[in-house]
Amino acid sequence: MKLIDKLKPEILEALEKDAKINYSSSYRAIILSLKNAERYRELTINQVDQLLTFLPEKFHPNGRTDFYYGDYLLKNEEV
């Protein structure tokens, strides 16, 4: 399963709301990086930075642990 499928729906909605229209090339680059990765940690620092740049502040990480693991962006999976 690709990373884009693991994201919370509100993350994708937030990207589509503004970035898709106003920053289409950046939006396409973000979506492509999410489609190519299977895990958050496969993203480069630059790709994570680009993602955070185009997300509203309410979707930004709460500290280094969130930034490192990306759990704040992912759906809660039941085991």
Side-chain angles (χ1 to χ4, degrees), residues 13-78:
E13 289 171 12
L15 284 172
E16 287 182 10
K17 186 175 182 180
D18 187 46
K20 186 175 183 178
I21 296 168
N22 296 320
Y23 308 100
S24 60
S25 61
S26 295
Y27 173 80
R28 286 191 305 270
I30 292 167
I31 296 301
L32 184 62
S33 67
L34 295 172
K35 286 182 177 180
N36 287 331
E38 291 189 23
R39 298 180 316 155
Y40 175 83
R41 292 188 58 191
E42 292 176 15
L43 298 176
T44 65
I45 296 294
N46 188 44
Q47 290 170 327
V48 172
D49 181 53
Q50 189 175 30
L51 174 62
L52 294 178
T53 297
F54 293 99
L55 280 177
E57 193 169 327
K58 69 180 184 178
F59 294 120
H60 287 200
N62 292 321
R64 291 189 316 199
T65 303
D66 277 352
F67 181 80
Y68 187 72
Y69 292 107
D71 291 341
Y72 65 101
L73 297 172
L74 305 176
K75 297 175 192 173
N76 291 330
E77 300 277 332
E78 296 292 325

